């Protein structure tokens, strides 16, 4: 997401955070240096909903130029067609543009009803009982600074309070998001989002994907990661910076985050391995197991789903999904 913003000329990213902002800022320091972009935060002292943080960050968002700014939900993943969004926003002359995506079961969501020819949003219908459309809010917006005049510094929903008022003034437009879209706020959806992202990467920048006899399907490996002999990796795997994957390891449909060590002949599928964790020899991790930061799984341990909180050592098998505190 940050890389895509940089590509369209964004020079500063402001994170709306209400808990331990230093953790996120430290994590994103590498992106600042690599991309030459400024990343700051606007910290809430109380939860302000999805619109209140914009009022809180007003001084950071308004620079006097009158240029629109992006507002993005950080738990959605797509191809981020920001250049097309800017072009569409400037063409319709409205106050705000939201991106929408098509879904198969609109009754589960809040549906955006819009004019097909112009993109003007007519109304929002929450979980409709009858079919009124199949487009939902994708969590990607481009807003004029004047939108901030509609938002008070208090807990406010941009989706339920601000956007309907802009739509009532015929100044809200929607653009259909091309390509894939996924809300990755839940672990299972994160793994699905990874698959969709890697499929997209195959089409757009296949040279970024790993190749070799030990690779199956789409696999993304950071250049600093080390892969041992006799491994079989893929499909749908992402391996982060500084990881060490020892000999004979099997990985599929999983994310391995920064600094992880996976010891010989371990097998991991449908799981997320947190930063600086260790997976022991012949261990087997599957069924949507989530390891927090600095978790150490012993040799020959089996985990069948569940969540392990940070800084834990797992010495015995987890036979059914549970939360390990």
């Amino acid at each position: 997401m940050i890389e895509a913003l940089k590509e369209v000329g964004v020079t500063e990213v402001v994170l709306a955070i209400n808990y331990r902002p230093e953790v996120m800022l430290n994590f994103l320091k590498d992106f600042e240096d690599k991309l030459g972009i400024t990343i700051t935060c606007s910290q809430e002292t109380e939860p302000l909903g999805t619109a209140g943080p914009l009022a809180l960050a007003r001084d950071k968002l308004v620079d006097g130029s009158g240029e629109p700014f992006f507002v993005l939900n950080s738990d959605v993943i797509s191809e981020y067609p920001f250049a097309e969004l800017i072009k569409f926003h400037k063409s319709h002359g409205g106050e705000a543009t939201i991106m929408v995506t098509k879904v198969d079961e609109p009754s589960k969501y809040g549906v955006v009803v819009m004019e097909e020819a112009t993109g003007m949003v007519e109304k929002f219908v929450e979980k409709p009982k009858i079919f009124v459309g199949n487009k939902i809010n994708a969590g990607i917006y481009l807003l004029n600074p004047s939108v901030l005049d509609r938002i008070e510094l208090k807990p406010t929903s941009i989706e339920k309070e601000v956007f309907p008022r802009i739509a009532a003034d015929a100044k809200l437009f929607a653009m259909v998001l091309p390509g894939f879209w996924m809300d990755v706020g839940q672990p299972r959806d994160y793994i699905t989002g990874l698959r969709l992202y890697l499929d997209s990467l195959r089409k757009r920048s296949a040279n970024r994907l790993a190749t070799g006899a030990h690779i199956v399907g789409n696999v993304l490996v950071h250049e600093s990661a080390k892969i041992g002999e006799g491994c079989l990796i893929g499909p749908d795997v992402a391996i982060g910076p500084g990881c060490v994957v020892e000999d004979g390891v099997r990985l599929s449909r999983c994310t391995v985050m920064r600094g992880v060590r996976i010891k010989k002949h371990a097998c991991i599928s449908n799981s997320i391995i947190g930063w600086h964790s260790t997976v022991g020899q012949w261990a087997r991790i599957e069924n949507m197991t989530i390891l927090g930061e600095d978790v150490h799984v012993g040799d020959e341990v089996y985990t069948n789903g569940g969540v392990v909180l940070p800084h834990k050592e797992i010495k015995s098998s987890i036979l059914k999904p549970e939360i390990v505190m």
Side-chain angles (χ1 to χ4, degrees):
M1 183 184 286
I2 294 175
E3 291 174 345
L5 289 169
K6 174 68 175 180
E7 288 179 2
V8 294
V10 171
T11 58
E12 182 175 1
V13 173
V14 181
L15 306 176
I17 301 176
N18 61 18
Y19 179 69
R20 297 187 66 190
E22 71 279 358
V23 174
M24 185 63 74
L25 291 175
N26 289 339
F27 177 77
L28 292 170
K29 181 64 178 174
D30 288 347
F31 283 92
E32 273 197 310
D33 297 339
K34 178 183 175 182
L35 299 176
I37 194 169
T38 301
I39 302 176
T40 60
C41 78
S42 175
Q43 185 175 8
E44 305 166 49
T45 56
E46 63 172 327
L48 292 173
T50 52
L54 298 179
L56 183 64
R58 182 186 181 99
D59 291 345
K60 296 177 181 289
L61 299 175
V62 177
D63 61 3
S65 69
E67 287 295 305
F69 57 88
F70 292 99
V71 177
L72 311 170
N73 289 355
S74 61
D75 58 357
V76 300
I77 188 170
S78 74
E79 293 181 355
Y80 308 121
F82 294 144
E84 293 90 337
L85 178 56
I86 292 170
K87 183 178 179 181
F88 176 71
H89 180 78
K90 292 185 175 180
S91 71
H92 62 61
E95 195 171 3
T97 303
I98 68 174
M99 298 209 81
V100 295
T101 187
K102 297 178 181 179
V103 294
D104 294 330
E105 297 184 53
S107 60
K108 293 181 177 180
Y109 305 92
V111 173
V112 180
V113 180
M114 55 187 275
E115 291 182 1
E116 293 298 327
T118 65
M120 181 180 291
V121 174
E122 299 174 352
K123 61 182 177 178
F124 298 86
V125 181
E126 188 66 26
K127 297 183 179 179
K129 296 291 189 293
I130 61 172
F131 184 84
V132 295
N134 65 344
K135 301 177 185 71
I136 66 169
N137 184 341
I140 299 173
Y141 319 131
L142 190 58
L143 311 179
N144 287 351
S146 58
V147 172
L148 295 172
D149 297 332
R150 299 175 178 266
I151 304 171
E152 296 182 48
L153 184 55
K154 64 178 185 178
T156 311
S157 167
I158 197 168
E159 300 88 355
K160 296 181 179 180
E161 298 176 66
V162 179
F163 286 158
R165 291 199 297 265
I166 302 175
D169 293 338
K171 293 183 178 181
L172 181 65
F173 290 76
M175 172 181 166
V176 178
L177 178 71
F180 78 96
W181 176 88
M182 191 74 197
D183 181 327
V184 293
Q186 298 296 320
R188 191 173 300 278
D189 296 332
Y190 181 92
I191 295 297
T192 301
L194 174 63
R195 175 180 60 79
L196 294 172
Y197 171 72
L198 293 176
D199 284 345
S200 173
L201 198 60
R202 168 73 65 185
K203 298 170 185 174
R204 295 181 292 112
S205 303
N207 61 311
R208 293 179 58 187
L209 296 173
T211 58
H214 63 296
I215 299 296
V216 178
N218 296 329
V219 174
L220 189 62
V221 180
H222 192 272
E223 59 186 9
S224 64
K226 297 179 180 179
I227 310 296
E229 299 292 328
C231 296
L232 187 60
I233 299 175
D236 306 325
V237 172
I239 299 175
C243 292
V244 176
V245 180
E246 296 184 1
D247 298 347
V249 166
R250 177 71 175 106
L251 304 177
S252 64
R253 293 177 296 279
C254 64
T255 291
V256 180
M257 296 185 176
R258 176 189 296 269
V260 167
R261 176 178 287 271
I262 303 173
K263 296 185 178 180
K264 293 179 180 179
H265 307 294
C267 179
I268 301 172
S269 64
N270 290 294
S271 297
I272 300 172
I273 310 302
W275 306 272
H276 307 291
S277 293
T278 303
V279 177
Q281 296 183 48
W282 295 101
R284 185 179 185 91
I285 295 177
E286 61 185 19
N287 192 27
M288 208 51 62
T289 295
I290 314 300
L291 303 186
E293 182 178 10
D294 185 40
V295 170
H296 303 282
V297 177
D299 295 346
E300 302 180 23
V301 166
Y302 170 63
T303 65
N304 179 29
V307 177
V308 182
L309 271 60
H311 313 300
K312 302 297 178 185
E313 185 174 3
I314 306 300
K315 296 181 179 179
S316 57
S317 293
I318 300 172
L319 301 180
K320 60 181 181 179
E322 61 180 90
I323 298 176
V324 177
M325 302 179 68

